[in-house]
Amino acid sequence: MIDVHSHILPGIDDGARDMKDALEMARLAVADGIRVMVATPHLFKHKNGDLGAINEKKVILEHLDRFRDRLAAEDIALEVLPGCDVPLSEKALSLLEEDRVMTVNDGNRYLLLELSHFAIPPSLEEICFRLQSQGLTPIITHPERHPLILERPERLEHLVDLGCLAQLTASSLTGGFGRQIARVSRQLVKKGYIHLLASDAHDPRHRPPRLSKAVSELSRLIGRERALAMVTHIPEKIIKGELAT
Ligand SMILES: [Fe+2]
């Protein structure tokens, strides 16, 4: 399986605290059947968007190099690729224009985009169009955890119609974020709004990199073939920068 959303790089955001945690997460991922993981630290190290601490391309690549060396030294068979968890904000968009934001596998083709919890901006349509005209497809992360989508799931349909892809978080489907989010997750999957399943792992204990349990639940909802595609063929196309749907 391929996991396109994880906070596995140590000491760079609110994900893995240190190398020990990161290696433990890598071992858990491999044991779960994950062979490729995109490391997607938050663009802003601190929640307040402090411009002194930006996880820009070169920072992510430096951390990734160190992590890959340790994985090789520990003989852990996990391929880790660069990525970034990008909040939808003016600041993030201007950094993107300056070519400082890491896209999925540095391919300049897919971008993980997290909507602000407080609002879906009226300019979102225009932002999507602008990104797409630069050849970038936004992947909306965990729409099932967004209060405005929980309230009206058809809001996601609109984003998908605009050409965005949508990534569901594995533990949302298996109840890790509560019953309401699990229910909305099933609803979004059944309506066909979801393209990808990812772990959004943050640590080895509370939010570990596990996909298999959610894939079983997905299989029950939409059949094994379509469920597996969400953790194999579709993410594979995304990391290769090919058309995914
Ligand atoms: Fe994330």
Tab-separated table of all heavy atoms in Angstrom, residues 5-7 13-14 40-42 84-86 112 114 141-142 145 167 169 199-202 207, ligand 1:
chain	number	residue	atom	x	y	z
A	5	HIS	N	-0.208	10.595	3.135
A	5	HIS	CA	-0.322	11.666	4.128
A	5	HIS	C	0.166	11.159	5.484
A	5	HIS	O	-0.488	10.326	6.109
A	5	HIS	CB	-1.795	12.107	4.198
A	5	HIS	CG	-2.039	13.315	5.053
A	5	HIS	ND1	-3.247	13.975	5.065
A	5	HIS	CD2	-1.259	13.982	5.920
A	5	HIS	CE1	-3.188	14.993	5.903
A	5	HIS	NE2	-1.983	15.016	6.443
A	6	SER	N	1.324	11.671	5.929
A	6	SER	CA	1.857	11.239	7.226
A	6	SER	C	2.775	12.304	7.803
A	6	SER	O	3.430	13.040	7.078
A	6	SER	CB	2.659	9.951	7.059
A	6	SER	OG	3.895	10.243	6.431
A	7	HIS	N	2.802	12.354	9.126
A	7	HIS	CA	3.698	13.292	9.824
A	7	HIS	C	4.787	12.473	10.502
A	7	HIS	O	4.897	12.445	11.721
A	7	HIS	CB	2.885	14.148	10.804
A	7	HIS	CG	1.847	14.967	10.092
A	7	HIS	ND1	2.071	16.268	9.714
A	7	HIS	CD2	0.615	14.639	9.609
A	7	HIS	CE1	1.000	16.723	9.060
A	7	HIS	NE2	0.101	15.747	8.987
A	13	ASP	N	7.268	19.042	13.052
A	13	ASP	CA	5.915	19.582	13.285
A	13	ASP	C	5.310	18.877	14.503
A	13	ASP	O	6.050	18.403	15.366
A	13	ASP	CB	5.036	19.475	12.022
A	13	ASP	CG	4.754	18.035	11.594
A	13	ASP	OD1	5.264	17.101	12.249
A	13	ASP	OD2	4.014	17.847	10.625
A	14	ASP	N	3.996	18.737	14.551
A	14	ASP	CA	3.373	18.079	15.712
A	14	ASP	C	3.270	16.564	15.524
A	14	ASP	O	2.532	15.901	16.243
A	14	ASP	CB	1.978	18.687	15.971
A	14	ASP	CG	1.029	18.470	14.790
A	14	ASP	OD1	1.506	18.103	13.695
A	14	ASP	OD2	-0.188	18.673	14.951
A	40	THR	N	4.540	14.182	4.955
A	40	THR	CA	3.866	15.464	4.672
A	40	THR	C	3.782	16.329	5.930
A	40	THR	O	2.699	16.492	6.515
A	40	THR	CB	2.451	15.211	4.116
A	40	THR	OG1	1.745	14.385	5.057
A	40	THR	CG2	2.472	14.508	2.776
A	41	PRO	N	4.916	16.900	6.367
A	41	PRO	CA	4.845	17.790	7.536
A	41	PRO	C	3.993	19.018	7.237
A	41	PRO	O	3.840	19.413	6.066
A	41	PRO	CB	6.308	18.190	7.763
A	41	PRO	CG	7.033	17.852	6.507
A	41	PRO	CD	6.251	16.791	5.799
A	42	HIS	N	3.450	19.610	8.289
A	42	HIS	CA	2.700	20.859	8.114
A	42	HIS	C	3.630	21.925	7.540
A	42	HIS	O	4.796	22.003	7.935
A	42	HIS	CB	2.153	21.344	9.459
A	42	HIS	CG	1.120	20.428	10.036
A	42	HIS	ND1	-0.147	20.312	9.509
A	42	HIS	CD2	1.164	19.564	11.081
A	42	HIS	CE1	-0.825	19.424	10.207
A	42	HIS	NE2	-0.059	18.952	11.166
A	84	CYS	N	4.056	17.703	1.615
A	84	CYS	CA	3.781	18.746	2.600
A	84	CYS	C	2.275	18.850	2.805
A	84	CYS	O	1.501	18.652	1.873
A	84	CYS	CB	4.343	20.072	2.088
A	84	CYS	SG	4.202	21.429	3.261
A	85	ASP	N	1.894	19.134	4.049
A	85	ASP	CA	0.482	19.312	4.402
A	85	ASP	C	0.258	20.829	4.415
A	85	ASP	O	0.735	21.526	5.312
A	85	ASP	CB	0.282	18.694	5.795
A	85	ASP	CG	-1.172	18.522	6.174
A	85	ASP	OD1	-2.042	19.014	5.432
A	85	ASP	OD2	-1.439	17.901	7.222
A	86	VAL	N	-0.439	21.319	3.401
A	86	VAL	CA	-0.496	22.769	3.169
A	86	VAL	C	-1.863	23.334	3.566
A	86	VAL	O	-2.892	22.886	3.046
A	86	VAL	CB	-0.238	23.066	1.666
A	86	VAL	CG1	-0.248	24.565	1.391
A	86	VAL	CG2	1.081	22.443	1.215
A	112	LEU	N	-1.284	18.562	-1.290
A	112	LEU	CA	-2.220	18.297	-0.185
A	112	LEU	C	-2.699	19.634	0.364
A	112	LEU	O	-1.879	20.472	0.744
A	112	LEU	CB	-1.541	17.538	0.954
A	112	LEU	CG	-1.170	16.070	0.797
A	112	LEU	CD1	-0.909	15.453	2.175
A	112	LEU	CD2	-2.203	15.271	0.062
A	114	GLU	N	-5.305	21.573	3.070
A	114	GLU	CA	-6.204	21.459	4.225
A	114	GLU	C	-7.057	22.718	4.312
A	114	GLU	O	-6.540	23.832	4.415
A	114	GLU	CB	-5.368	21.277	5.497
A	114	GLU	CG	-6.253	21.099	6.712
A	114	GLU	CD	-5.464	20.962	8.011
A	114	GLU	OE1	-4.270	21.328	8.032
A	114	GLU	OE2	-6.063	20.514	8.994
A	141	THR	N	-7.561	17.375	2.085
A	141	THR	CA	-7.295	16.387	3.135
A	141	THR	C	-8.476	16.311	4.114
A	141	THR	O	-9.125	17.306	4.401
A	141	THR	CB	-6.019	16.751	3.923
A	141	THR	OG1	-6.182	18.063	4.469
A	141	THR	CG2	-4.796	16.732	3.031
A	142	HIS	N	-8.688	15.108	4.584
A	142	HIS	CA	-9.751	14.770	5.559
A	142	HIS	C	-10.980	15.706	5.545
A	142	HIS	O	-11.275	16.359	6.563
A	142	HIS	CB	-9.205	14.646	6.985
A	142	HIS	CG	-8.174	15.660	7.389
A	142	HIS	ND1	-8.471	16.963	7.615
A	142	HIS	CD2	-6.844	15.531	7.598
A	142	HIS	CE1	-7.374	17.605	7.954
A	142	HIS	NE2	-6.377	16.760	7.953
A	145	ARG	N	-13.558	15.565	8.423
A	145	ARG	CA	-13.355	16.169	9.738
A	145	ARG	C	-13.615	17.667	9.703
A	145	ARG	O	-13.345	18.370	10.678
A	145	ARG	CB	-11.924	15.873	10.223
A	145	ARG	CG	-11.789	14.448	10.728
A	145	ARG	CD	-10.352	13.950	10.759
A	145	ARG	NE	-9.409	14.890	11.317
A	145	ARG	CZ	-8.086	14.825	11.126
A	145	ARG	NH1	-7.580	13.860	10.389
A	145	ARG	NH2	-7.285	15.705	11.656
A	167	GLN	N	-9.138	13.177	0.074
A	167	GLN	CA	-8.448	12.131	0.849
A	167	GLN	C	-9.126	11.918	2.194
A	167	GLN	O	-9.211	12.837	3.001
A	167	GLN	CB	-6.978	12.536	1.050
A	167	GLN	CG	-6.203	11.612	1.981
A	167	GLN	CD	-6.001	12.237	3.357
A	167	GLN	OE1	-5.493	13.344	3.453
A	167	GLN	NE2	-6.371	11.531	4.419
A	169	THR	N	-9.266	10.119	5.916
A	169	THR	CA	-8.309	9.591	6.901
A	169	THR	C	-8.787	8.226	7.391
A	169	THR	O	-9.963	8.062	7.733
A	169	THR	CB	-8.151	10.591	8.059
A	169	THR	OG1	-7.574	11.777	7.523
A	169	THR	CG2	-7.240	10.049	9.150
A	199	SER	N	-3.229	7.684	6.105
A	199	SER	CA	-3.260	7.550	7.575
A	199	SER	C	-3.255	8.890	8.312
A	199	SER	O	-3.791	9.000	9.401
A	199	SER	CB	-2.073	6.710	8.052
A	199	SER	OG	-0.869	7.459	7.962
A	200	ASP	N	-2.621	9.917	7.741
A	200	ASP	CA	-2.389	11.174	8.479
A	200	ASP	C	-1.787	10.852	9.855
A	200	ASP	O	-2.133	11.473	10.867
A	200	ASP	CB	-3.695	11.972	8.617
A	200	ASP	CG	-3.462	13.428	9.039
A	200	ASP	OD1	-2.306	13.861	9.089
A	200	ASP	OD2	-4.455	14.128	9.338
A	201	ALA	N	-0.860	9.872	9.857
A	201	ALA	CA	-0.255	9.429	11.117
A	201	ALA	C	0.540	10.549	11.767
A	201	ALA	O	1.216	11.323	11.089
A	201	ALA	CB	0.669	8.244	10.836
A	202	HIS	N	0.435	10.616	13.103
A	202	HIS	CA	1.178	11.628	13.853
A	202	HIS	C	2.133	11.027	14.889
A	202	HIS	O	3.051	11.700	15.338
A	202	HIS	CB	0.218	12.583	14.573
A	202	HIS	CG	-0.295	13.699	13.719
A	202	HIS	ND1	-1.122	13.496	12.642
A	202	HIS	CD2	-0.070	15.038	13.761
A	202	HIS	CE1	-1.401	14.664	12.074
A	202	HIS	NE2	-0.771	15.618	12.731
A	207	ARG	N	-2.131	8.011	16.942
A	207	ARG	CA	-2.471	8.156	15.519
A	207	ARG	C	-1.401	7.456	14.677
A	207	ARG	O	-0.597	8.081	14.003
A	207	ARG	CB	-2.589	9.651	15.164
A	207	ARG	CG	-3.741	10.317	15.914
A	207	ARG	CD	-3.824	11.790	15.625
A	207	ARG	NE	-4.275	12.035	14.262
A	207	ARG	CZ	-4.399	13.254	13.749
A	207	ARG	NH1	-4.113	14.321	14.470
A	207	ARG	NH2	-4.819	13.403	12.506
B	1	FE	FE	-1.958	16.089	8.266
